[in-house]
Amino acid sequence: MMLREINFDGIVGPSHNYAGLSFGNLAAMRNAGAVSRPRAAALQGLEKMRANLRLGLAQGLFVPQPRPARAWLADLGTDAAQADAVLRANAMSASAMWAANAATVSPAPDTADGRTHLTVANLRTMPHRSHEWLATMAQLRVAFADERHFAVHAPVPPAFGDEGAANHMRLAERHDALGVEVFVYGVSGGAFPARQHLEASRAIARLNRLDPARTLFVQQSEEAIAAGAFHNDVVAVANERVLFAHELAFAGKERFLKELGEKLPGLEYVEVPTAEVSLDDAIRSYLFNAQLVTPPDGVTTLVVPGEAHETASVWGWLQRHLAGNGAIRRVEVVDVRESMANGGGPACLRLRVVADPATIDPRFLVDESRLDQLVDLVGREWPDRIDVDELGDPALIAQVERARAALLEALNLGELI
């Protein structure tokens, strides 16, 4: 098999809105009540996928989930017409676009049975995300249906919170080589909840059939969570031998780095000091919620949002790192401003899967032509703007459902309707 990393980006759904549902996500809280632009958000996401293709990366997609979440509302004894404003907003959330929270992925070189394992996240901490797992699991079981190569596991029981790959990192000499898998959990974040439980991470390591000798569990620092780093991928990102992190990302950092270096002797640790980039600047700019990738030319590349370029301390640090011949050799800037305003940057929008593309359902893989088709469809079908006060409007709900149905028809994914 020809294993390579594939980034599966969530298409921003037609119900994308700023209801401010994610407590601890400072951008989502700050922009609560603002008018969203679902069409612009989806087009920005598609353009990010195109930028990845032009770097030579393999690119996939996930489709939006049904909105409103009618089955969830029915379980609560109501419907889209009768629900109160808060329940309706939770049922209309488009947050499944952040595919980094879909599942935790362990590729074949790391697992006992030589298959790629995906454990769906339960996302139980936030009501608007807690109902995503059923549709996520259904989609993953279509995309990765070949049981010779993949195993898709149901979520860890909701007694223990799990938010997926946003709190998981994998390091290896190459994507197709035996790796070290790192699970980052939280204990406390002051006023904000720690969303990833240690017991959930341990359970996923068992479900994904990982070697305990090549698996690490590290605590996210309380300072990071309290500052608004609600997931580890807001303060750290890894790719092959490179771990890129803020100075305050981890509790017990020295011991963690020592253990990681022993398991991966070629480790390159790149740390951004607080004295040069504060936690506030790192979180506001989403410097670490970036895609750290290795294109076919072998040049380690960091794909950052435009906000990183606009934050003086962050952009200054990046320029000094590049000039100093550091581990990151190229920086690309993408515009995902509409998703950033809801608290998700380039890394949030994608789930990384190391696999042979030939083993994946081709309907979930994209090229330039497919992206052209999707751009045209989004331009026709997605709402231009949504005010949160309009979420119960029957005309808007009908448009949201019609837009998703048109997308599934275009992708020939009718079984997901």
Side-chain angles (χ1 to χ4, degrees), residues 101-106 117-122 140 151-156 162 164-165 200 203-205 207-208:
N101 304 121
T104 302
V105 184
S106 297
H117 287 249
L118 302 94
T119 296
V120 177
N122 62 37
L140 294 182
V152 178
H153 303 288
V156 171
D162 167 41
I204 294 163
L207 290 167
N208 286 11

Side-chain angles (χ1 to χ4, degrees), residues 61-268:
L61 61 79
F62 293 137
V63 300
Q65 298 193 356
R67 292 294 178 267
R70 294 186 181 274
W72 183 70
L73 288 173
D75 287 343
L76 293 168
T78 188
D79 57 29
Q82 302 297 320
D84 64 42
V86 174
L87 275 185
R88 185 184 298 120
N90 278 277
M92 286 288 278
S93 168
S95 57
M97 66 188 186
W98 289 313
N101 304 121
T104 302
V105 184
S106 297
D110 298 353
T111 67
D113 62 1
R115 295 189 295 170
T116 294
H117 287 249
L118 302 94
T119 296
V120 177
N122 62 37
L123 295 170
R124 66 86 150 156
T125 305
M126 299 291 161
H128 69 290
R129 305 215 64 180
S130 65
H131 53 75
E132 290 178 8
W133 70 269
L134 274 169
T136 296
M137 187 164 66
Q139 188 163 183
L140 294 182
R141 286 183 170 170
V142 174
F144 307 105
D146 187 342
E147 294 184 357
R148 297 169 299 171
H149 301 291
F150 300 101
V152 178
H153 303 288
V156 171
F160 307 110
D162 167 41
E163 307 229 337
N167 296 301
H168 171 263
M169 300 181 292
R170 178 178 186 264
L171 295 103
E173 284 293 328
R174 305 178 317 278
H175 288 307
D176 62 353
L178 177 64
V180 178
E181 302 209 12
V182 178
F183 293 81
V184 185
Y185 64 92
V187 173
S188 173
F192 298 144
R195 301 187 185 185
Q196 186 71 29
H197 292 188
L198 174 58
E199 287 303 327
S201 296
R202 287 174 170 163
I204 294 163
R206 293 190 294 267
L207 290 167
N208 286 11
R209 302 193 64 180
L210 297 178
D211 180 355
R214 300 192 67 80
T215 306
L216 290 174
F217 301 92
V218 60
Q219 182 183 336
Q220 185 175 3
S221 77
E222 294 183 12
E223 298 98 318
I225 299 172
F230 51 100
H231 293 139
N232 172 68
D233 67 1
V234 180
V235 286
V237 61
N239 177 67
E240 293 189 328
R241 293 181 294 108
V242 179
L243 172 57
F244 178 46
H246 192 272
E247 179 184 0
L248 299 179
F250 308 111
K253 177 181 64 177
E254 289 75 15
R255 179 180 176 183
F256 163 56
L257 292 175
K258 180 177 183 294
E259 290 185 57
L260 182 58
E262 290 169 352
K263 296 178 188 300
L264 187 71
L267 173 70
E268 294 183 68

Side-chain angles (χ1 to χ4, degrees), residues 342-364:
N342 223 359
C348 284
L349 287 165
R350 61 93 180 94
L351 183 70
R352 306 165 83 168
V353 180
V354 173
D356 181 348
T359 64
I360 295 167
D361 189 315
R363 294 174 293 178
F364 291 87

Side-chain angles (χ1 to χ4, degrees), residues 343-407:
C348 284
L349 287 165
R350 61 93 180 94
L351 183 70
R352 306 165 83 168
V353 180
V354 173
D356 181 348
T359 64
I360 295 167
D361 189 315
R363 294 174 293 178
F364 291 87
L365 300 175
V366 301
D367 55 17
E368 291 268 7
S369 176
R370 173 61 59 83
L371 289 178
D372 289 341
Q373 177 191 17
L374 295 176
V375 166
D376 288 344
L377 187 147
V378 166
R380 293 193 311 270
E381 302 287 349
W382 259 234
D384 176 54
R385 51 190 282 133
I386 294 178
D387 187 308
V388 292
D389 293 335
E390 303 168 344
L391 290 176
D393 182 352
L396 173 64
I397 290 173
Q399 183 180 9
V400 165
E401 294 185 318
R402 187 170 59 247
R404 180 176 182 271
L407 174 66

